[in-house]
Amino acid sequence: MEIDHNFYMNLAISEAWKYQGLTYANPAVGCSIVGEHGELLAVEAHHKAGEPHAEVNAIKAAYYKLTQDEKILQLISSSQIHIYLLQNHNNIFKKCSLYSTLEPCSHVGKTPSCANLIAELGIKNVFVGVEDFNTDAANGNTVLEKSGANISLHVEQQKCEDLLFPFKKFMSDKFVFFKWAQRLNGTTDAGIISSAESRKNVHAMRDVCDLLVIGGNTVRNDRPTLDARLVNGKAPDILILSREKEFDTAIPLFHVKNRKVYIESDFSRMNDYKNIMIEGSAKMYELSRDIVDYYLCYLAPAFGGHDGFKNIEDKFQILNADKEEEDIIMWMKRIEDYE
Amino acid sequence: MEIDHNFYMNLAISEAWKYQGLTYANPAVGCSIVGEHGELLAVEAHHKAGEPHAEVNAIKAAYYKLTQDEKILQLISSSQIHIYLLQNHNNIFKKCSLYSTLEPCSHVGKTPSCANLIAELGIKNVFVGVEDFNTDAANGNTVLEKSGANISLHVEQQKCEDLLFPFKKFMSDKFVFFKWAQRLNGTTDAGIISSAESRKNVHAMRDVCDLLVIGGNTVRNDRPTLDARLVNGKAPDILILSREKEFDTAIPLFHVKNRKVYIESDFSRMNDYKNIMIEGSAKMYELSRDIVDYYLCYLAPAFGGHDGFKNIEDKFQILNADKEEEDIIMWMKRIEDYE
């Protein structure tokens, strides 16, 4: 295995994918920091909108690794961490290299600017996967150049583009992903499939989705709640795709507070939303095939069940496969020209 | 992500799994080397019996990274590398740490002893996943202790045990693994499933297997060759499991040189062999369920086909999932107490 700039960028990319979807309305971003002698100091990601950016999480972790100053571990908000680092960095980052999947931001929003922080700390080498297209946040590279940092652009660019794509999509239009859980033998029926860890991850996804799309038959058969109770999160609005508009109103999903439920026969409602998860199996897969950007599969290493994705021919590219304690979580895109 | 001793051991473990099966009759072993300041210098594995051990591959890579001395890149055999390192190391490894999934060997076989090499180089800290049980090769730790190295045992021990298990099994008895290729939707039929990279990997596996077990119906229907031509390797002996003993002798597998073919109605022939791959799908899975040690699944990210593993209930633990260019290669063990 070659240990080079791509290696450190790939560590950042893998870490970022663990939070893909969960960072909405922010992008999924990862960041590694390597010290003066090539020592790996931190690999971190952005976890959730409102929380510190990947660069700040990584600089915080690197600062602790270099100084063992436990005070920084107490600091949670991005502002606190920025202020503490600016006051206490003692130039320990001067000879470090920073790898960020996305150009560090230049705008001061919920947090101060990452580019300014990196410039103030005097980080010597900055490796960037992909430049920011968001005019509010872009120009981080300009800030860094002025500070005298060496900037290398387009490190593992394609992988960083794939990571950033959902952000680009919901910023310009809407991002639609199709999520399902299956066993290794391809079945999606017959009771609970995913591990507790995966189910919690799905609830975290629901917490940040603004619309969840589900088929009418699934609602009738499974009588689901479709909330985010496992993470104490908010329940997304629901679009039930169904020609038949009557449902038993005792089904729990209709009784979740602060939620709209639409029962409609097409997907046009999606145009009112930005971050949309479709939950389903074979039938919904086929119905939504032309409007889905990415696929998210929770794969449980088990044989069992009966029905799954039959009579469908499609090919995917695996963008990331993350082995959890039990399951594998895969983000994929469909290969368009597959016949 | 925490960057600690487990992190470096896990890099070694992941690298080693890529060669699981291919190192027969040696164990799959991985090794990372970290420099004086915590800089990652190498992550390597043992690739094939007769070639350098993981520690030698890692020390070679680390030496090149530290010295940029290109002469070492020309050296292929373990003996050459050992001699060159002993003459040219200049004490550059004195403050390094070495992480090996298995206790470095103490015996001089096809290669000089790794423990002696590490001792001669004066590597300061040695982290070991699991101690060697093989009395010929063991006592590496004793050699290292005498040299003054700090040895830490049992780093990620369980994971290193899982990695080593096939070796323990074929040393004491025989190692049996069940290999199959499937699409994401669980199908194992209807033409080529795996990527070119995966198919080549299967041929490399066949090259080092001494027996390949296959079902009679598969032989009749697929008329396979079952050799290792994609890697110019040797073809394993074949056990065709079949009550019906007559086969069309024009089927290519019967015409491969230097191969024995047995047509038998039970698995007892396996007792004459050490490293045994069963290739099959649902029916063979059920027949062999009680005699299989590990499962090896080549998962292609595609929907298609018709038949797969139906009417089977089982649960697995994924020991390693390696994302190749296209497919995922998974080593698993069955969870015994699953009902």
Side-chain angles (χ1 to χ4, degrees), chain A residues 206-246:
Chain A
R206 286 181 187 157
D207 177 41
V208 291
C209 278
D210 45 18
L211 183 68
L212 193 160
V213 181
I214 193 152
N217 286 337
T218 303
V219 171
R220 287 187 188 90
N221 297 333
D222 295 357
R223 305 179 66 86
T225 309
L226 298 174
D227 62 5
R229 62 192 177 280
L230 296 178
V231 296
N232 295 315
K234 71 164 184 50
D237 290 351
I238 302 276
L239 168 60
I240 301 174
L241 201 75
S242 179
R243 267 176 299 219
E244 174 59 62
K245 301 294 185 293
E246 280 194 26

Side-chain angles (χ1 to χ4, degrees), chain A residues 3 65 184 301 303 314 316, chain B residues 3 65 182 184 301 303 314 316:
Chain A
I3 298 149
K65 201 167 172 83
L184 183 56
F303 288 165
D314 256 323
F316 303 93
Chain B
I3 298 149
K65 201 165 173 86
Q182 67 160 73
L184 183 56
F303 288 164
D314 256 323
F316 303 92

Side-chain angles (χ1 to χ4, degrees), chain B residues 165-196:
Chain B
F165 176 82
F167 177 68
K168 284 194 174 176
K169 198 72 202 307
F170 61 61
M171 288 295 282
S172 63
D173 176 16
K174 60 183 180 292
F175 175 64
V176 182
F177 65 102
F178 183 97
K179 168 258 154 185
W180 79 97
Q182 67 160 73
R183 297 179 193 83
L184 183 56
N185 66 331
T187 58
T188 56
D189 64 344
I192 290 175
I193 294 167
S194 297
S195 69

Side-chain angles (χ1 to χ4, degrees), chain B residues 130-185:
Chain B
V130 58
E131 288 143 293
D132 200 342
F133 70 100
N134 176 4
T135 47
D136 285 350
N139 298 315
N141 289 345
T142 314
V143 172
L144 292 170
E145 267 164 20
K146 280 186 191 160
S147 82
N150 306 316
I151 304 179
S152 304
L153 298 175
H154 307 152
V155 180
E156 292 285 21
Q157 182 176 9
Q158 185 56 53
K159 288 183 186 174
C160 292
E161 292 278 8
D162 289 338
L163 176 68
L164 187 64
F165 176 82
F167 177 68
K168 284 194 174 176
K169 198 72 202 307
F170 61 61
M171 288 295 282
S172 63
D173 176 16
K174 60 183 180 292
F175 175 64
V176 182
F177 65 102
F178 183 97
K179 168 258 154 185
W180 79 97
Q182 67 160 73
R183 297 179 193 83
L184 183 56
N185 66 331

Side-chain angles (χ1 to χ4, degrees), chain A residues 1-4 7-8 11 14-15 18 33 37-44 65 180 182-187 285 297 299-306 308-321 323 325-328 330 332 338, chain B residues 1-4 7-8 11 14-15 18 33 37-44 65 180 182-187 285 297 299-306 308-321 323 325-328 330 332 338:
Chain A
M1 184 195 288
E2 206 181 346
I3 298 149
D4 56 7
F7 174 83
Y8 297 111
L11 290 177
S14 296
E15 187 68 14
K18 294 179 189 169
I33 296 179
H37 304 285
E39 70 275 26
L40 183 60
L41 297 175
V43 181
E44 296 291 337
K65 201 167 172 83
W180 79 95
Q182 67 160 74
R183 296 178 193 84
L184 183 56
N185 66 330
T187 59
Y285 177 88
C297 174
L299 182 69
F303 288 165
H306 306 285
F309 293 89
K310 288 176 182 167
N311 306 315
I312 305 172
E313 299 260 337
D314 256 323
K315 204 169 172 178
F316 303 93
Q317 180 193 345
I318 300 171
L319 302 171
N320 192 68
K323 187 188 163 303
E325 199 62 45
E326 293 178 36
D327 299 349
I328 290 179
M330 293 195 290
M332 303 183 289
Y338 182 71
Chain B
M1 185 195 288
E2 206 181 347
I3 298 149
D4 55 7
F7 174 84
Y8 296 111
L11 290 177
S14 296
E15 188 68 14
K18 295 179 188 168
I33 297 179
H37 304 286
E39 69 275 26
L40 184 59
L41 298 174
V43 181
E44 297 291 338
K65 201 165 173 86
W180 79 97
Q182 67 160 73
R183 297 179 193 83
L184 183 56
N185 66 331
T187 58
Y285 177 88
C297 174
L299 181 70
F303 288 164
H306 305 286
F309 293 90
K310 288 176 183 167
N311 307 316
I312 303 172
E313 299 260 337
D314 256 323
K315 203 167 174 179
F316 303 92
Q317 181 193 345
I318 300 170
L319 301 171
N320 193 66
K323 187 189 164 301
E325 200 62 45
E326 293 179 36
D327 299 349
I328 290 178
M330 291 194 292
M332 302 183 290
Y338 182 70

Side-chain angles (χ1 to χ4, degrees), chain A residues 121-156:
Chain A
L121 298 180
I123 290 179
K124 190 176 166 189
N125 304 301
V126 178
F127 298 85
V128 170
V130 58
E131 288 143 292
D132 200 343
F133 70 101
N134 176 5
T135 47
D136 285 349
N139 298 314
N141 288 345
T142 314
V143 172
L144 292 170
E145 266 164 20
K146 280 186 192 159
S147 81
N150 307 315
I151 304 181
S152 304
L153 298 176
H154 308 154
V155 180
E156 293 286 21

